[in-house]
Amino acid sequence: MRMLLLIAALGLSACATGPSEKDWTSNPGAQSFATAASACSQISYNIEANFTVCMAGRGWVKAKD
């Protein structure tokens, strides 16, 4: 039972982390960051290049380091 609770907790903690708006720059007319990030997370299949392209299509570009 403890192992099951641990696995559930780890699964939920993974959902709590995601892209941060501070790492992205919006263009005029961009979709809200939360909406864009949520949609792109669902359709990118955890492939960073797909996520980046999806975000760009919604008005967000990755900030330069």
Side-chain angles (χ1 to χ4, degrees):
M1 182 67 168
R2 287 183 192 167
M3 186 61 119
L4 182 58
L5 290 174
L6 178 62
I7 291 170
L10 288 173
L12 290 175
S13 67
C15 294
T17 61
S20 173
E21 189 171 346
K22 70 176 179 61
D23 298 329
W24 296 84
T25 303
S26 65
N27 291 318
Q31 189 174 44
S32 77
F33 181 81
T35 301
S38 177
C40 292
S41 291
Q42 291 178 20
I43 64 173
S44 68
Y45 301 106
N46 293 323
I47 299 172
E48 186 175 355
N50 291 352
F51 184 81
T52 302
V53 169
C54 178
M55 290 293 284
R58 294 167 188 271
W60 291 89
V61 293
K62 191 113 173 162
K64 301 214 189 284
D65 293 331

